Amino acid sequence: MAITFRNLAWALAPLALAACGSKPPADSNIDSLDAELAGNTTGNSRDPAMMSALQDQIMVDPALTGQANNDAVRPPQQPYSGATPPDSVAPSKTDGTNIADGTGSSSGGSKPAPAPAGDCLQCKVKRDSVTLGALAQRQADKRTSGCARSLQYSTAWVQRLPADIPLYPDARVDEAAGVAGNGCALRVVSFSTGASVQTVLDYYYGRVTAAGYSAEHQADGGQHVLGGTRGKDGGAYVIYVEKRGDGRTEVDLVANNGN
């Protein structure tokens, strides 16, 4: 008797259904794998190394947890340890002494500046000067004004300020210029600080007088000027101090005898 195609299909259908029914569900495979990884299978299939790794506590280095800010929305409250401060920021002490008070310094500490006296001619000079170069060129000291024509702008000049007229502690430098050679050692720096106007004036008044400079304090409204000269070497300086709108104190320093 000939076997038709329809008869063959009916004969093979039970075998196909049996094969489908014998395949284990996917969930069962996953459960078996989980059980094997967790060590819940019977027999000697547990891996001691894996069980030890799964059951041990996670080790955390407390010295590094404070620096894990890669996914933080806010930046860290302080720079990471080991960072090098930029040249445009003056160093500050962390040993409890106060640089602004001159503690432990032989260059003279802060000293109360005298009250302003006389007309502030230098205040007008500051208002009429758009750039640091223009400010230096308008100085009465001939050595300062003459050298100002060759000023070169770079924050590197901050590192070559006179030792007795340094950058204010924790200052943020906005601009700096200078010139060296041909009898010129001019330094001009513009910076800001969180200290008050009077604190800055007292800081520089103490240092310039200790270094042998004269010191005259003039003011016009909120603009203060401290300036003077030193006869033994022809040194001269002018320091402009004023409170900014954002609450910081702005300082422009001009000195003709930098390092």
Side-chain angles (χ1 to χ4, degrees), residues 22-206:
S22 63
K23 183 178 180 180
D27 292 343
S28 299
N29 291 340
I30 295 176
D31 293 340
S32 300
L33 179 60
D34 290 342
E36 182 179 352
L37 291 175
N40 294 330
T41 56
T42 58
N44 298 324
S45 60
R46 293 187 178 184
D47 186 344
M50 180 178 294
M51 293 302 300
S52 176
L54 291 173
Q55 295 176 3
D56 281 352
Q57 294 183 353
I58 299 175
M59 299 182 66
V60 178
D61 188 344
L64 298 178
T65 55
Q67 299 187 15
N69 288 280
N70 291 336
D71 299 322
V73 176
R74 297 179 179 178
Q77 296 181 352
Q78 61 183 9
Y80 296 149
S81 59
T84 303
D87 292 340
S88 60
V89 179
S92 60
K93 300 276 279 188
T94 57
D95 58 2
T97 59
N98 189 338
I99 293 181
D101 290 339
T103 304
S105 173
S106 60
S107 60
S110 293
K111 183 179 177 181
D119 296 332
C120 187
L121 300 178
Q122 283 289 344
C123 292
K124 186 178 186 305
V125 171
K126 176 66 169 62
R127 287 192 296 266
D128 294 341
S129 303
V130 178
T131 65
L132 291 180
L135 184 64
Q137 289 181 26
R138 286 179 168 85
Q139 296 303 309
D141 179 70
K142 299 300 182 183
R143 178 179 167 189
T144 300
S145 59
C147 293
R149 299 183 180 90
S150 302
L151 275 178
Q152 297 178 347
Y153 286 80
S154 171
T155 55
W157 291 106
V158 173
Q159 307 299 329
R160 301 181 63 180
L161 281 168
D164 42 26
I165 310 179
L167 190 66
Y168 190 84
D170 298 322
R172 295 180 183 176
V173 176
D174 298 318
E175 195 173 24
V179 57
N182 298 322
C184 294
L186 181 61
R187 309 290 182 262
V188 190
V189 180
S190 179
F191 63 88
S192 68
T193 172
S196 66
V197 169
Q198 189 61 49
T199 300
V200 174
L201 290 171
D202 293 347
Y203 172 85
Y204 282 110
Y205 182 76

